[in-house]
């Protein structure tokens, strides 16, 4: 029998090839199953259990709210602010499903149809345009637990882990709950997590208020947070928004007319800065944070663990009036922009920040960078060379910030020239802080001039001297000579008035002396009543600063914080009781459960009599109506009921203004952070020119807004008949002929000691 050897050999080879192919396939399948099982059982990282998934907890930003519950800032590592499903508008949900997962309601977390497309087209055929296979639930799994890097097969391992987690999520949560979790965790542009935070940041509104265009814009950014950031790339973001709208049209979630109408319009942002250095009231938010940290040291969670202000989603209710704060910041910027130019121009070509070697040398040695170099052991020459190296840096300028090539020395001189400002406005009956300006720009000037700075207060101290005098029986119509006196027991100290043209033979009443801020009379009144009595009175009014107990105290040579002055001045419209400015009213956890609440701190007893209070208030009304602050009436045309006091310190270093209305007390300060640099002239540096305009511009703006009527239209009570009678005298009188004849020489006397 003939046997075909070739045929038999072919059969044998074929069988061996088939055998090895089958064996190879079995090995591949077995390896894949082992790989799959190893991932499932946590060999590549533990998978979250269903129990852990049921108790999902994500870090949430702590919200800082104003007095009306409006968001003014956050404390966070991840800017996340959760909401419920009912707060998600339907068109937002439709935009997400049409763009990211059109079969969302049909699959169990993994869309097998999409995965097959990805496997064949994206992986095998390398067709990147074929799209991805990720579902909303898979994306949620990635958002919740992130991804890890492995030496090999990172993408496959992570995708499989996410698929396991996604299926478990689908077993535990309803589709509505999954959408809610997704929207609360998905990352948007500018380091923002969750739809509510993104909505507040980019459009200054809650998620419920998002229009279809706005919703489509935010959904469009999910494809690539940075590339489609509407703040940075508006045109690119608009194109992506239009893609989302077209997807909605394709799947029946919108109509042609609506889509075409929206696509013809540009994206309109109302961007809000909620990071730590930008946004509304950054100095206030920083002060609240400092207080919050201290408060929470005394309060623990129910399980005994400490609260974390960056992750626990606390809700902080504050006293701040958002609308007033906006106007206060506007007023400050408008005035300081102009004042800064006048300030620089006044020095001409020889400004001290460029032509005072000693000043610059001292400032250099205070630089943190200089101190760091010094600690590293660098020589003075090496430090100088390092500080002289130039690089591109963004610097603060009124108007728009600019990028310049500057050295550290250049930057130092640049910032030495800037005037700074501080302002606080409080309710005088409670101390609730309504507006707070710690400086001109928190990004570049971190020092807070409301809560940290103690600057000489100048003539704003004088009302305390006169309060003491009236309280101790001095009559309001007591006359004092404006003439200068040399105090022989004080190293021949001669207090001088701001104007050298004053008539030395004039005598002023206390009202006239205070309203025109006469230095010589303030010292004489202090000498008359005694330093210790003034110190006692000031302490009763809530001032805790250490006072010098020196005759120059009458002229405000001591440093007092802005917020302390506000609390003390509040007593003039709070029945003689001073208050302590406060910021936080209530603290809640993320669910709204009470943690702590706070009441106003008001003095239990009056610091002085009702009679004294009314007299001083009338005196400070005169300051506004015909005294040093009269530009309130003339230049700014304010007709509100206002009392107040200006202040200017030695060498024009500090300018002050304190404005008192029945329902608001405002303290404003302006000066250079470097105390060696003052204003060139008193005309420019006086409080009426530096600090008063911020107050005046604020009230001009508030007068135009009826929501502030309770403040702007409030009126002072009519003073008692006795007060009116006691103030009814000529404000000034001249010495008679003989006094003028024999009183030409400067008088010398000793200052009374206690």
């Amino acid at each position: 029998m003939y046997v075909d050897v070739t045929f038999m050999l072919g059969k044998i080879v074929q069988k061996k090839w088939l055998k090895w192919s089958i064996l190879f396939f079995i090995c591949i399948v077995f390896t894949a199953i082992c790989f799959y099982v190893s991932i499932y059982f946590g060999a590549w990282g533990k998978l979250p259990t269903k129990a852990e998934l049921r108790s999902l907890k994500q870090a949430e930003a702590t919200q800082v709210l104003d007095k009306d519950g409006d968001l003014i800032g956050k404390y966070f590592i991840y800017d996340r602010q959760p909401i419920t499903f009912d707060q998600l508008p339907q068109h937002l949900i439709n935009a997400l499903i049409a763009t990211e997962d059109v079969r969302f309601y049909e699959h169990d977390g993994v869309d097998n149809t999409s995965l097959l497309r990805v496997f064949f087209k994206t992986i095998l055929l390398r067709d990147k345009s074929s799209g991805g296979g990720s579902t909303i639930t898979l994306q949620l799994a990635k958002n919740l637990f992130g991804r890890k890097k492995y030496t090999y097969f990172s993408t496959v391992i992570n995708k499989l882990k996410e698929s396991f987690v996604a299926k478990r999520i689908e077993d535990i949560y309803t589709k509505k709950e999954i959408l809610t979790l997704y929207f609360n965790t998905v990352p948007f542009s500018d380091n923002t997590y969750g739809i509510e935070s993104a909505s507040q940041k980019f459009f200054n509104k809650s998620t419920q208020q998002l229009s279809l265009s706005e919703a489509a814009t935010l959904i469009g950014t999910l494809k690539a947070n940075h590339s489609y950031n509407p703040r940075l790339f508006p045109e690119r973001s608009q194109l992506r928004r239009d893609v989302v709208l077209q997807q909605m049209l394709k799947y029946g979630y919108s109509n042609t007319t609506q889509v075409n109408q929206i696509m013809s319009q540009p994206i309109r942002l109302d961007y809000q800065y909620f990071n730590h250095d930008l946004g509304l009231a950054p100095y206030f938010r920083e002060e609240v944070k400092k207080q919050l940290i201290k408060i929470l040291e005394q309060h623990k969670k129910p399980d005994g663990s400490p609260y974390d202000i960056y992750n626990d989603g606390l809700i902080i209710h504050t006293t701040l009036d958002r609308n007033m704060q906006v106007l206060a910041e506007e007023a400050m910027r408008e005035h300081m922009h102009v004042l800064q130019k006048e300030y620089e121009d006044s020095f001409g070509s020889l400004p001290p920040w460029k032509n005072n070697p000693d000043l610059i040398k001292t400032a250099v040695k205070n630089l943190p960078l200089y101190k760091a170099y010094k600690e590293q052991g660098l020589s003075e020459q090496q430090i100088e060379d390092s500080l002289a190296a130039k690089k591109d840096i963004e610097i603060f300028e009124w108007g728009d910030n600019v990028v310049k090539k500057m050295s550290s020395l250049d930057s130092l001189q640049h910032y030495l020239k800037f005037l700074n400002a501080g302002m606080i406005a409080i309710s005088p009956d409670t101390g609730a802080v309504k507006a707070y300006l710690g400086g001109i720009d928190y990004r570049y000037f971190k020092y807070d001039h409301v809560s940290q700075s103690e600057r000489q207060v100048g003539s704003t101290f004088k009302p305390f001297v006169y309060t003491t005098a009236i309280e101790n029986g001095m009559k309001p119509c007591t006359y004092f000579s404006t003439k200068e006196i040399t105090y022989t027991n004080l190293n021949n100290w001669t207090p001088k008035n701001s104007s050298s043209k004053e008539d030395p033979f004039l005598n002023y009443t206390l009202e006239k002396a205070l309203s025109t801020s006469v230095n010589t009379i303030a010292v004489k009144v202090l000498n008359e009543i005694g330093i210790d009595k003034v110190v006692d009175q000031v302490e009763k009014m809530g001032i805790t600063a250490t006072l010098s107990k020196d005759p120059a105290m009458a002229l405000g040579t001591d440093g007092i914080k802005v917020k302390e002055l506000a609390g003390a001045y509040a007593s003039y419209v709070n029945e003689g009781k001073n208050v302590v400015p406060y910021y936080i009213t209530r603290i809640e956890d993320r669910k709204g459960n009470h943690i702590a609440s706070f009441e106003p701190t008001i003095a239990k007893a009056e610091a002085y009599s009702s009679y004294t209070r009314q007299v001083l208030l009338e005196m400070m009304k005169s300051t506004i109506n015909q005294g040093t602050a009269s530009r309130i009436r003339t230049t700014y045309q304010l007709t509100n009921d206002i009392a107040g006091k200006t202040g200017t310190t030695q060498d024009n270093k500090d300018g002050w203004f304190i404005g008192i209305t029945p329902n608001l007390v405002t303290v404003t300060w302006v000066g250079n952070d470097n105390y060696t640099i003052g204003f060139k002239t008193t005309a420019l540096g006086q409080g009426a020119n530096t600090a008063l305009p911020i107050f005046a511009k604020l009230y001009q703006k508030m007068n135009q807004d009826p929501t502030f009527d309770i403040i702007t239209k409030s009126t002072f009570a009519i003073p008692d008949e006795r007060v009116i009678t006691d103030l009814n005298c000529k404000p000034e009188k001249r010495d008679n002929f003989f006094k003028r004849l024999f009183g030409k020489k400067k008088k010398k006397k000793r200052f009374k000691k206690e």
Side-chain angles (χ1 to χ4, degrees), residues 326-433:
V326 169
L327 299 183
E329 292 185 10
E330 288 177 0
M332 180 271 290
R333 285 192 294 267
E334 289 173 9
H335 172 61
M336 294 301 291
H337 192 173
V338 174
L339 182 65
Q340 181 66 40
K341 185 178 186 308
E342 294 174 345
Y343 177 68
E344 292 179 39
D345 290 346
S346 69
F347 288 104
S349 59
L350 297 173
W353 49 87
K354 289 186 178 180
N355 294 278
N356 188 328
D358 292 337
L359 183 154
I360 297 170
K361 185 177 180 180
T362 301
V364 166
K365 290 187 175 181
N366 286 326
L367 284 175
L369 190 57
Y370 175 91
K371 294 177 181 178
Y373 286 146
K374 200 70 176 173
E375 289 178 1
Q376 295 172 19
L378 273 64
S379 66
E380 288 295 327
Q381 186 59 51
Q382 289 174 318
I383 294 175
E384 186 177 331
D385 292 341
S386 298
L387 294 177
K390 294 183 181 292
K391 58 184 177 180
D392 286 335
I393 58 174
E394 182 181 5
I395 58 172
F396 172 79
E397 289 282 9
W398 283 111
D400 292 317
N401 294 348
V402 296
V403 176
K404 290 185 178 181
K405 191 173 287 294
M406 301 178 77
S407 68
S408 296
L409 291 174
D410 296 331
S411 177
L412 170 68
Q413 290 180 304
H414 173 76
Y415 286 107
L416 275 175
K417 72 181 181 181
F418 280 103
L419 295 170
N420 221 313
M423 192 206 82
I424 191 172
I426 67 171
S427 294
D429 57 334
T430 63
V433 175

Side-chain angles (χ1 to χ4, degrees), residues 127-185:
D127 181 5
K128 294 183 179 180
S129 65
S130 65
S134 182
T135 65
I136 288 173
T137 318
L138 284 167
Q139 291 180 43
L140 174 60
K142 182 178 71 173
N143 294 339
L144 290 173
F145 302 104
R147 285 181 169 178
K148 294 182 179 179
K149 289 186 177 180
Y150 302 93
T151 306
Y152 303 103
F153 309 116
S154 282
T155 300
V156 175
I157 294 170
N158 281 311
K159 286 283 188 181
L160 284 172
K161 289 177 70 175
E162 288 162 9
S163 68
F164 293 138
V165 176
K167 285 181 177 294
R168 291 180 185 179
I169 289 174
E170 291 273 352
D171 289 341
I172 296 170
Y173 296 103
T174 65
K175 291 292 185 179
K176 285 184 177 181
E177 290 170 332
I178 290 170
L179 285 171
T180 305
L181 280 169
Y182 179 86
F183 274 116
N184 281 332
T185 57

Side-chain angles (χ1 to χ4, degrees), residues 9 55 126 185 204 208 222 310 698 732 737:
L9 287 172
S55 58
R126 301 293 181 181
T185 57
N204 192 24
Q208 290 175 298
L222 299 179
Y310 298 107
L698 170 61
E732 61 183 62
F737 173 78

Side-chain angles (χ1 to χ4, degrees), residues 563-591:
K563 64 179 184 179
E564 281 204 357
L565 275 182
Y569 267 83
S571 64
Y572 293 115
V573 280
N574 189 39
E575 302 303 323
K577 297 179 180 180
N578 57 281
V579 296
V580 176
Y582 77 109
Y583 313 83
I584 301 172
T585 58
R586 190 168 74 258
I587 301 172
E588 300 171 349
D589 66 15
R590 71 178 73 201
K591 295 181 180 180

Side-chain angles (χ1 to χ4, degrees), residues 388-649:
K390 294 183 181 292
K391 58 184 177 180
D392 286 335
I393 58 174
E394 182 181 5
I395 58 172
F396 172 79
E397 289 282 9
W398 283 111
D400 292 317
N401 294 348
V402 296
V403 176
K404 290 185 178 181
K405 191 173 287 294
M406 301 178 77
S407 68
S408 296
L409 291 174
D410 296 331
S411 177
L412 170 68
Q413 290 180 304
H414 173 76
Y415 286 107
L416 275 175
K417 72 181 181 181
F418 280 103
L419 295 170
N420 221 313
M423 192 206 82
I424 191 172
I426 67 171
S427 294
D429 57 334
T430 63
V433 175
K434 299 302 180 184
Y436 188 109
L437 306 175
I440 56 175
D441 193 310
Y442 188 72
R443 290 171 296 174
Y444 303 96
F445 306 92
K446 291 288 193 292
Y447 193 69
D448 186 338
H449 288 284
V450 171
S451 296
Q452 291 179 281
S453 179
E454 286 189 354
R455 300 285 291 231
Q456 289 188 352
V457 295
S459 296
T460 60
F461 192 86
K462 290 175 182 174
F464 302 151
V465 176
Y466 287 84
T467 297
T468 310
I470 299 297
E471 186 67 6
N472 281 273
M474 189 176 290
K475 298 298 182 182
C477 281
T478 302
Y479 289 94
F480 282 89
S481 170
T482 62
K483 188 175 182 178
E484 295 176 0
I485 291 179
T486 297
Y487 296 96
T488 57
N489 60 335
L490 298 175
N491 296 318
N492 289 324
W493 176 54
T494 308
K496 297 182 180 298
N497 296 317
S498 59
S499 174
S500 59
K501 298 180 180 179
E502 287 182 357
D503 189 337
F505 303 111
L506 274 180
N507 296 273
Y508 288 169
T509 61
L510 297 186
E511 180 179 9
K512 176 76 172 181
L514 181 62
S515 66
T516 56
S517 204
V518 181
N519 291 338
T520 53
I521 294 180
V523 175
K524 290 172 184 176
V525 173
L526 178 69
N527 188 30
E528 186 78 19
I529 57 177
I531 291 175
D532 286 348
K533 288 182 180 178
V534 173
V535 172
D536 289 343
Q537 182 64 67
V538 169
E539 289 177 352
K540 287 180 182 178
M541 296 173 71
I543 300 296
T544 62
T546 301
L547 302 178
S548 60
K549 296 186 179 181
D550 183 274
M553 180 177 70
L555 307 182
T557 54
D558 290 311
I560 301 175
K561 291 179 180 177
V562 167
K563 64 179 184 179
E564 281 204 357
L565 275 182
Y569 267 83
S571 64
Y572 293 115
V573 280
N574 189 39
E575 302 303 323
K577 297 179 180 180
N578 57 281
V579 296
V580 176
Y582 77 109
Y583 313 83
I584 301 172
T585 58
R586 190 168 74 258
I587 301 172
E588 300 171 349
D589 66 15
R590 71 178 73 201
K591 295 181 180 180
N593 297 317
H594 175 269
I595 295 175
S597 56
F598 305 91
E599 298 296 328
T601 302
I602 307 169
K604 294 180 179 180
E606 297 87 351
Y608 43 79
S609 67
S610 176
Y611 173 81
T612 297
R613 184 187 67 80
Q614 294 179 61
V615 168
L616 262 294
L617 198 57
E618 293 303 304
M619 288 182 177
M620 287 188 283
K621 288 181 190 177
S622 295
T623 303
I624 301 296
N625 295 330
Q626 58 260 356
T628 57
S630 60
R631 65 180 71 187
I632 285 279
R633 303 298 189 203
T634 57
T635 303
Y636 297 99
Q637 299 291 304
L638 294 178
T639 59
N640 313 70
D641 267 21
I642 304 172
K645 187 70 188 77
T646 57
T648 311
T649 63

Side-chain angles (χ1 to χ4, degrees), residues 208-267:
Q208 290 175 298
Q209 298 171 314
L210 287 174
S211 67
L212 176 55
S213 174
E214 293 163 345
T217 299
L218 293 179
I219 295 300
T221 66
L222 299 179
K223 183 177 178 64
N225 293 341
H226 180 72
S227 298
Y228 295 113
N229 186 326
R231 177 178 65 87
L232 299 176
F233 312 108
E235 293 181 1
R236 192 186 301 168
S237 178
Q238 184 169 329
L239 290 174
R240 179 63 186 163
R241 176 204 67 178
D242 294 348
V243 169
V244 174
L245 292 170
Q246 289 165 355
Q247 286 292 103
M248 295 182 72
L249 178 62
K250 177 180 177 181
Y251 292 109
Y253 289 116
S254 189
N255 58 67
T256 304
T257 302
Q258 185 180 36
V259 168
N260 288 340
Q261 181 182 5
I262 295 173
M263 288 175 59
S264 66
Q265 300 170 353
I267 296 172

